[in-house]
Structure formats: structure tokens, C-alpha cells
PDB file of all heavy atoms in Angstrom:
ATOM      1  N   ALA A   1     181.233 -31.781 104.339  1.00  0.00           N
ATOM      2  CA  ALA A   1     181.574 -31.690 105.755  1.00  0.00           C
ATOM      3  C   ALA A   1     181.707 -33.081 106.369  1.00  0.00           C
ATOM      4  O   ALA A   1     182.623 -33.342 107.164  1.00  0.00           O
ATOM      5  CB  ALA A   1     180.511 -30.873 106.496  1.00  0.00           C
ATOM      6  N   LEU A   2     180.785 -33.985 106.006  1.00  0.00           N
ATOM      7  CA  LEU A   2     180.858 -35.352 106.512  1.00  0.00           C
ATOM      8  C   LEU A   2     182.132 -36.046 106.061  1.00  0.00           C
ATOM      9  O   LEU A   2     182.801 -36.731 106.842  1.00  0.00           O
ATOM     10  CB  LEU A   2     179.639 -36.153 106.038  1.00  0.00           C
ATOM     11  CG  LEU A   2     178.318 -35.897 106.765  1.00  0.00           C
ATOM     12  CD1 LEU A   2     177.177 -36.581 106.032  1.00  0.00           C
ATOM     13  CD2 LEU A   2     178.399 -36.381 108.202  1.00  0.00           C
ATOM     14  N   ARG A   3     182.490 -35.851 104.798  1.00  0.00           N
ATOM     15  CA  ARG A   3     183.693 -36.490 104.273  1.00  0.00           C
ATOM     16  C   ARG A   3     184.936 -35.946 104.970  1.00  0.00           C
ATOM     17  O   ARG A   3     185.843 -36.702 105.337  1.00  0.00           O
ATOM     18  CB  ARG A   3     183.791 -36.278 102.769  1.00  0.00           C
ATOM     19  CG  ARG A   3     182.703 -36.985 101.994  1.00  0.00           C
ATOM     20  CD  ARG A   3     182.788 -36.727 100.514  1.00  0.00           C
ATOM     21  NE  ARG A   3     183.897 -37.455  99.897  1.00  0.00           N
ATOM     22  CZ  ARG A   3     184.118 -37.484  98.598  1.00  0.00           C
ATOM     23  NH1 ARG A   3     183.326 -36.818  97.778  1.00  0.00           N
ATOM     24  NH2 ARG A   3     185.124 -38.175  98.108  1.00  0.00           N
ATOM     25  N   LEU A   4     184.974 -34.628 105.182  1.00  0.00           N
ATOM     26  CA  LEU A   4     186.127 -34.035 105.847  1.00  0.00           C
ATOM     27  C   LEU A   4     186.215 -34.495 107.288  1.00  0.00           C
ATOM     28  O   LEU A   4     187.291 -34.847 107.780  1.00  0.00           O
ATOM     29  CB  LEU A   4     186.030 -32.508 105.783  1.00  0.00           C
ATOM     30  CG  LEU A   4     187.148 -31.742 106.503  1.00  0.00           C
ATOM     31  CD1 LEU A   4     188.509 -32.119 105.923  1.00  0.00           C
ATOM     32  CD2 LEU A   4     186.928 -30.245 106.394  1.00  0.00           C
ATOM     33  N   ALA A   5     185.068 -34.524 107.983  1.00  0.00           N
ATOM     34  CA  ALA A   5     185.065 -34.951 109.385  1.00  0.00           C
ATOM     35  C   ALA A   5     185.577 -36.371 109.532  1.00  0.00           C
ATOM     36  O   ALA A   5     186.363 -36.676 110.431  1.00  0.00           O
ATOM     37  CB  ALA A   5     183.651 -34.840 109.960  1.00  0.00           C
ATOM     38  N   ASN A   6     185.138 -37.241 108.628  1.00  0.00           N
ATOM     39  CA  ASN A   6     185.585 -38.627 108.702  1.00  0.00           C
ATOM     40  C   ASN A   6     187.055 -38.779 108.339  1.00  0.00           C
ATOM     41  O   ASN A   6     187.741 -39.653 108.871  1.00  0.00           O
ATOM     42  CB  ASN A   6     184.714 -39.506 107.795  1.00  0.00           C
ATOM     43  CG  ASN A   6     183.400 -39.860 108.445  1.00  0.00           C
ATOM     44  OD1 ASN A   6     183.293 -40.854 109.150  1.00  0.00           O
ATOM     45  ND2 ASN A   6     182.402 -39.017 108.248  1.00  0.00           N
ATOM     46  N   ARG A   7     187.552 -37.929 107.452  1.00  0.00           N
ATOM     47  CA  ARG A   7     188.976 -37.988 107.121  1.00  0.00           C
ATOM     48  C   ARG A   7     189.824 -37.457 108.265  1.00  0.00           C
ATOM     49  O   ARG A   7     190.952 -37.891 108.474  1.00  0.00           O
ATOM     50  CB  ARG A   7     189.248 -37.196 105.848  1.00  0.00           C
ATOM     51  CG  ARG A   7     188.672 -37.838 104.605  1.00  0.00           C
ATOM     52  CD  ARG A   7     188.942 -37.052 103.368  1.00  0.00           C
ATOM     53  NE  ARG A   7     190.351 -37.076 103.017  1.00  0.00           N
ATOM     54  CZ  ARG A   7     190.842 -36.547 101.897  1.00  0.00           C
ATOM     55  NH1 ARG A   7     190.039 -35.956 101.038  1.00  0.00           N
ATOM     56  NH2 ARG A   7     192.131 -36.610 101.646  1.00  0.00           N
ATOM     57  N   LEU A   8     189.262 -36.505 109.046  1.00  0.00           N
ATOM     58  CA  LEU A   8     190.000 -35.943 110.164  1.00  0.00           C
ATOM     59  C   LEU A   8     190.009 -36.867 111.380  1.00  0.00           C
ATOM     60  O   LEU A   8     190.885 -36.759 112.233  1.00  0.00           O
ATOM     61  CB  LEU A   8     189.395 -34.586 110.564  1.00  0.00           C
ATOM     62  CG  LEU A   8     189.571 -33.452 109.553  1.00  0.00           C
ATOM     63  CD1 LEU A   8     188.824 -32.215 110.026  1.00  0.00           C
ATOM     64  CD2 LEU A   8     191.040 -33.137 109.327  1.00  0.00           C
ATOM     65  N   GLU A   9     189.019 -37.771 111.439  1.00  0.00           N
ATOM     66  CA  GLU A   9     188.936 -38.675 112.583  1.00  0.00           C
ATOM     67  C   GLU A   9     190.145 -39.601 112.655  1.00  0.00           C
ATOM     68  O   GLU A   9     190.557 -40.032 113.713  1.00  0.00           O
ATOM     69  CB  GLU A   9     187.651 -39.498 112.516  1.00  0.00           C
ATOM     70  CG  GLU A   9     186.427 -38.692 112.943  1.00  0.00           C
ATOM     71  CD  GLU A   9     185.143 -39.460 112.723  1.00  0.00           C
ATOM     72  OE1 GLU A   9     185.199 -40.614 112.246  1.00  0.00           O
ATOM     73  OE2 GLU A   9     184.069 -38.903 113.021  1.00  0.00           O
ATOM     74  N   THR A  10     190.701 -39.935 111.526  1.00  0.00           N
ATOM     75  CA  THR A  10     191.898 -40.776 111.502  1.00  0.00           C
ATOM     76  C   THR A  10     192.693 -40.463 110.255  1.00  0.00           C
ATOM     77  O   THR A  10     192.131 -40.296 109.177  1.00  0.00           O
ATOM     78  CB  THR A  10     191.551 -42.272 111.511  1.00  0.00           C
ATOM     79  OG1 THR A  10     192.729 -43.017 111.252  1.00  0.00           O
ATOM     80  CG2 THR A  10     190.490 -42.623 110.491  1.00  0.00           C
ATOM     81  N   ASP A  11     194.007 -40.369 110.404  1.00  0.00           N
ATOM     82  CA  ASP A  11     194.846 -40.042 109.248  1.00  0.00           C
ATOM     83  C   ASP A  11     194.964 -41.206 108.282  1.00  0.00           C
ATOM     84  O   ASP A  11     195.568 -41.080 107.219  1.00  0.00           O
ATOM     85  CB  ASP A  11     196.241 -39.587 109.692  1.00  0.00           C
ATOM     86  CG  ASP A  11     196.981 -40.658 110.495  1.00  0.00           C
ATOM     87  OD1 ASP A  11     196.448 -41.774 110.643  1.00  0.00           O
ATOM     88  OD2 ASP A  11     198.095 -40.371 110.966  1.00  0.00           O
ATOM     89  N   ARG A  12     194.392 -42.350 108.631  1.00  0.00           N
ATOM     90  CA  ARG A  12     194.434 -43.492 107.719  1.00  0.00           C
ATOM     91  C   ARG A  12     193.286 -43.480 106.722  1.00  0.00           C
ATOM     92  O   ARG A  12     193.321 -44.196 105.733  1.00  0.00           O
ATOM     93  CB  ARG A  12     194.402 -44.814 108.508  1.00  0.00           C
ATOM     94  CG  ARG A  12     195.704 -45.075 109.245  1.00  0.00           C
ATOM     95  CD  ARG A  12     195.794 -46.478 109.778  1.00  0.00           C
ATOM     96  NE  ARG A  12     197.155 -46.725 110.224  1.00  0.00           N
ATOM     97  CZ  ARG A  12     198.123 -47.162 109.452  1.00  0.00           C
ATOM     98  NH1 ARG A  12     197.889 -47.408 108.191  1.00  0.00           N
ATOM     99  NH2 ARG A  12     199.338 -47.368 109.925  1.00  0.00           N
ATOM    100  N   VAL A  13     192.246 -42.686 106.977  1.00  0.00           N
ATOM    101  CA  VAL A  13     191.113 -42.623 106.061  1.00  0.00           C
ATOM    102  C   VAL A  13     191.475 -41.753 104.866  1.00  0.00           C
ATOM    103  O   VAL A  13     191.849 -40.602 105.011  1.00  0.00           O
ATOM    104  CB  VAL A  13     189.860 -42.062 106.772  1.00  0.00           C
ATOM    105  CG1 VAL A  13     188.729 -41.858 105.775  1.00  0.00           C
ATOM    106  CG2 VAL A  13     189.423 -43.013 107.877  1.00  0.00           C
ATOM    107  N   LEU A  14     191.372 -42.326 103.670  1.00  0.00           N
ATOM    108  CA  LEU A  14     191.725 -41.622 102.443  1.00  0.00           C
ATOM    109  C   LEU A  14     190.529 -40.977 101.781  1.00  0.00           C
ATOM    110  O   LEU A  14     190.650 -39.966 101.099  1.00  0.00           O
ATOM    111  CB  LEU A  14     192.391 -42.603 101.459  1.00  0.00           C
ATOM    112  CG  LEU A  14     193.623 -43.330 101.996  1.00  0.00           C
ATOM    113  CD1 LEU A  14     194.088 -44.363 100.980  1.00  0.00           C
ATOM    114  CD2 LEU A  14     194.736 -42.346 102.309  1.00  0.00           C
ATOM    115  N   ASP A  15     189.355 -41.546 101.975  1.00  0.00           N
ATOM    116  CA  ASP A  15     188.149 -40.966 101.397  1.00  0.00           C
ATOM    117  C   ASP A  15     186.935 -41.575 102.077  1.00  0.00           C
ATOM    118  O   ASP A  15     187.018 -42.640 102.698  1.00  0.00           O
ATOM    119  CB  ASP A  15     188.085 -41.215  99.892  1.00  0.00           C
ATOM    120  CG  ASP A  15     187.218 -40.190  99.174  1.00  0.00           C
ATOM    121  OD1 ASP A  15     186.595 -39.356  99.865  1.00  0.00           O
ATOM    122  OD2 ASP A  15     187.170 -40.225  97.939  1.00  0.00           O
ATOM    123  N   PHE A  16     185.802 -40.880 101.953  1.00  0.00           N
ATOM    124  CA  PHE A  16     184.579 -41.327 102.622  1.00  0.00           C
ATOM    125  C   PHE A  16     183.389 -40.898 101.775  1.00  0.00           C
ATOM    126  O   PHE A  16     183.318 -39.764 101.312  1.00  0.00           O
ATOM    127  CB  PHE A  16     184.477 -40.687 104.016  1.00  0.00           C
ATOM    128  CG  PHE A  16     183.181 -40.954 104.729  1.00  0.00           C
ATOM    129  CD1 PHE A  16     183.002 -42.115 105.446  1.00  0.00           C
ATOM    130  CD2 PHE A  16     182.141 -40.036 104.675  1.00  0.00           C
ATOM    131  CE1 PHE A  16     181.805 -42.368 106.105  1.00  0.00           C
ATOM    132  CE2 PHE A  16     180.944 -40.275 105.327  1.00  0.00           C
ATOM    133  CZ  PHE A  16     180.779 -41.445 106.052  1.00  0.00           C
ATOM    134  N   VAL A  17     182.460 -41.816 101.544  1.00  0.00           N
ATOM    135  CA  VAL A  17     181.244 -41.511 100.788  1.00  0.00           C
ATOM    136  C   VAL A  17     180.053 -42.031 101.565  1.00  0.00           C
ATOM    137  O   VAL A  17     180.025 -43.199 101.975  1.00  0.00           O
ATOM    138  CB  VAL A  17     181.261 -42.156  99.388  1.00  0.00           C
ATOM    139  CG1 VAL A  17     179.955 -41.869  98.664  1.00  0.00           C
ATOM    140  CG2 VAL A  17     182.440 -41.646  98.583  1.00  0.00           C
ATOM    141  N   GLN A  18     179.058 -41.166 101.793  1.00  0.00           N
ATOM    142  CA  GLN A  18     177.844 -41.586 102.491  1.00  0.00           C
ATOM    143  C   GLN A  18     176.712 -41.740 101.494  1.00  0.00           C
ATOM    144  O   GLN A  18     176.346 -40.803 100.797  1.00  0.00           O
ATOM    145  CB  GLN A  18     177.443 -40.569 103.559  1.00  0.00           C
ATOM    146  CG  GLN A  18     176.194 -41.007 104.326  1.00  0.00           C
ATOM    147  CD  GLN A  18     175.800 -40.028 105.411  1.00  0.00           C
ATOM    148  OE1 GLN A  18     175.838 -38.829 105.219  1.00  0.00           O
ATOM    149  NE2 GLN A  18     175.419 -40.566 106.560  1.00  0.00           N
ATOM    150  N   PHE A  19     176.149 -42.963 101.404  1.00  0.00           N
ATOM    151  CA  PHE A  19     175.016 -43.216 100.535  1.00  0.00           C
ATOM    152  C   PHE A  19     173.702 -43.070 101.301  1.00  0.00           C
ATOM    153  O   PHE A  19     172.686 -42.690 100.746  1.00  0.00           O
ATOM    154  CB  PHE A  19     175.115 -44.613  99.929  1.00  0.00           C
ATOM    155  CG  PHE A  19     176.237 -44.745  98.944  1.00  0.00           C
ATOM    156  CD1 PHE A  19     177.438 -45.309  99.317  1.00  0.00           C
ATOM    157  CD2 PHE A  19     176.099 -44.269  97.651  1.00  0.00           C
ATOM    158  CE1 PHE A  19     178.484 -45.423  98.417  1.00  0.00           C
ATOM    159  CE2 PHE A  19     177.142 -44.384  96.735  1.00  0.00           C
ATOM    160  CZ  PHE A  19     178.329 -44.957  97.117  1.00  0.00           C
ATOM    161  N   SER A  20     173.731 -43.405 102.589  1.00  0.00           N
ATOM    162  CA  SER A  20     172.562 -43.253 103.447  1.00  0.00           C
ATOM    163  C   SER A  20     173.058 -43.330 104.882  1.00  0.00           C
ATOM    164  O   SER A  20     174.268 -43.420 105.119  1.00  0.00           O
ATOM    165  CB  SER A  20     171.539 -44.371 103.179  1.00  0.00           C
ATOM    166  OG  SER A  20     172.037 -45.618 103.657  1.00  0.00           O
ATOM    167  N   GLU A  21     172.137 -43.260 105.833  1.00  0.00           N
ATOM    168  CA  GLU A  21     172.543 -43.338 107.231  1.00  0.00           C
ATOM    169  C   GLU A  21     173.189 -44.682 107.556  1.00  0.00           C
ATOM    170  O   GLU A  21     174.020 -44.788 108.444  1.00  0.00           O
ATOM    171  CB  GLU A  21     171.326 -43.124 108.143  1.00  0.00           C
ATOM    172  CG  GLU A  21     170.799 -41.704 108.141  1.00  0.00           C
ATOM    173  CD  GLU A  21     171.813 -40.704 108.648  1.00  0.00           C
ATOM    174  OE1 GLU A  21     172.534 -41.035 109.594  1.00  0.00           O
ATOM    175  OE2 GLU A  21     171.890 -39.589 108.104  1.00  0.00           O
ATOM    176  N   LYS A  22     172.804 -45.747 106.807  1.00  0.00           N
ATOM    177  CA  LYS A  22     173.291 -47.085 107.116  1.00  0.00           C
ATOM    178  C   LYS A  22     174.371 -47.575 106.163  1.00  0.00           C
ATOM    179  O   LYS A  22     175.042 -48.567 106.449  1.00  0.00           O
ATOM    180  CB  LYS A  22     172.122 -48.076 107.115  1.00  0.00           C
ATOM    181  CG  LYS A  22     171.100 -47.812 108.209  1.00  0.00           C
ATOM    182  CD  LYS A  22     170.001 -48.864 108.199  1.00  0.00           C
ATOM    183  CE  LYS A  22     169.008 -48.627 109.317  1.00  0.00           C
ATOM    184  NZ  LYS A  22     167.935 -49.650 109.336  1.00  0.00           N
ATOM    185  N   ILE A  23     174.509 -46.906 105.030  1.00  0.00           N
ATOM    186  CA  ILE A  23     175.468 -47.376 104.035  1.00  0.00           C
ATOM    187  C   ILE A  23     176.511 -46.306 103.780  1.00  0.00           C
ATOM    188  O   ILE A  23     176.203 -45.228 103.274  1.00  0.00           O
ATOM    189  CB  ILE A  23     174.777 -47.752 102.710  1.00  0.00           C
ATOM    190  CG1 ILE A  23     173.686 -48.804 102.956  1.00  0.00           C
ATOM    191  CG2 ILE A  23     175.808 -48.280 101.716  1.00  0.00           C
ATOM    192  CD1 ILE A  23     172.875 -49.138 101.731  1.00  0.00           C
ATOM    193  N   ASN A  24     177.737 -46.596 104.164  1.00  0.00           N
ATOM    194  CA  ASN A  24     178.865 -45.699 103.956  1.00  0.00           C
ATOM    195  C   ASN A  24     180.028 -46.511 103.413  1.00  0.00           C
ATOM    196  O   ASN A  24     180.181 -47.692 103.741  1.00  0.00           O
ATOM    197  CB  ASN A  24     179.298 -45.038 105.266  1.00  0.00           C
ATOM    198  CG  ASN A  24     178.155 -44.311 105.944  1.00  0.00           C
ATOM    199  OD1 ASN A  24     177.937 -43.142 105.723  1.00  0.00           O
ATOM    200  ND2 ASN A  24     177.419 -45.035 106.804  1.00  0.00           N
ATOM    201  N   ILE A  25     180.849 -45.898 102.598  1.00  0.00           N
ATOM    202  CA  ILE A  25     182.045 -46.571 102.088  1.00  0.00           C
ATOM    203  C   ILE A  25     183.266 -45.726 102.425  1.00  0.00           C
ATOM    204  O   ILE A  25     183.287 -44.517 102.166  1.00  0.00           O
ATOM    205  CB  ILE A  25     181.962 -46.806 100.573  1.00  0.00           C
ATOM    206  CG1 ILE A  25     180.839 -47.791 100.244  1.00  0.00           C
ATOM    207  CG2 ILE A  25     183.292 -47.333 100.033  1.00  0.00           C
ATOM    208  CD1 ILE A  25     180.664 -48.079  98.777  1.00  0.00           C
ATOM    209  N   THR A  26     184.240 -46.361 103.025  1.00  0.00           N
ATOM    210  CA  THR A  26     185.483 -45.693 103.397  1.00  0.00           C
ATOM    211  C   THR A  26     186.665 -46.368 102.713  1.00  0.00           C
ATOM    212  O   THR A  26     186.732 -47.595 102.640  1.00  0.00           O
ATOM    213  CB  THR A  26     185.692 -45.733 104.922  1.00  0.00           C
ATOM    214  OG1 THR A  26     184.746 -44.881 105.544  1.00  0.00           O
ATOM    215  CG2 THR A  26     187.073 -45.253 105.305  1.00  0.00           C
ATOM    216  N   LYS A  27     187.573 -45.539 102.215  1.00  0.00           N
ATOM    217  CA  LYS A  27     188.831 -46.021 101.665  1.00  0.00           C
ATOM    218  C   LYS A  27     189.920 -45.661 102.663  1.00  0.00           C
ATOM    219  O   LYS A  27     190.064 -44.494 103.025  1.00  0.00           O
ATOM    220  CB  LYS A  27     189.095 -45.342 100.317  1.00  0.00           C
ATOM    221  CG  LYS A  27     190.431 -45.687  99.677  1.00  0.00           C
ATOM    222  CD  LYS A  27     190.608 -44.906  98.376  1.00  0.00           C
ATOM    223  CE  LYS A  27     191.955 -45.188  97.732  1.00  0.00           C
ATOM    224  NZ  LYS A  27     192.154 -44.373  96.495  1.00  0.00           N
ATOM    225  N   MET A  28     190.651 -46.663 103.138  1.00  0.00           N
ATOM    226  CA  MET A  28     191.622 -46.385 104.195  1.00  0.00           C
ATOM    227  C   MET A  28     192.845 -47.303 104.103  1.00  0.00           C
ATOM    228  O   MET A  28     192.789 -48.390 103.544  1.00  0.00           O
ATOM    229  CB  MET A  28     190.975 -46.560 105.565  1.00  0.00           C
ATOM    230  CG  MET A  28     190.531 -47.989 105.873  1.00  0.00           C
ATOM    231  SD  MET A  28     189.752 -48.148 107.504  1.00  0.00           S
ATOM    232  CE  MET A  28     191.131 -47.725 108.559  1.00  0.00           C
TER     233      MET A  28
END
């Protein structure tokens, strides 16, 4: 759900991975 929400926030986001509340990696 988090990955989908972040991909829906902008059409430029290709993928999203959450490692913790402070560490996230986005491919865009």
C-alpha cells in the first residue's frame, strides 16, 4: 500500500521501498 501510494503521488515515481520510518529509497 505504501509503495502504491507513493507511486500515485507522482507519475514520475517508478518504484518505492521503505526500510524504516527514516530510510526510504525512491526510483524516479
Side-chain angles (χ1 to χ4, degrees):
L2 283 170
R3 293 178 74 174
L4 177 59
N6 280 271
R7 291 180 69 174
L8 292 175
E9 283 173 0
T10 170
D11 60 4
R12 289 192 169 273
V13 174
L14 304 174
D15 204 355
F16 173 84
V17 177
Q18 181 179 42
F19 291 99
S20 70
E21 289 298 322
K22 295 183 178 181
I23 304 175
N24 305 269
I25 294 179
T26 290
K27 176 183 178 183
M28 65 181 296

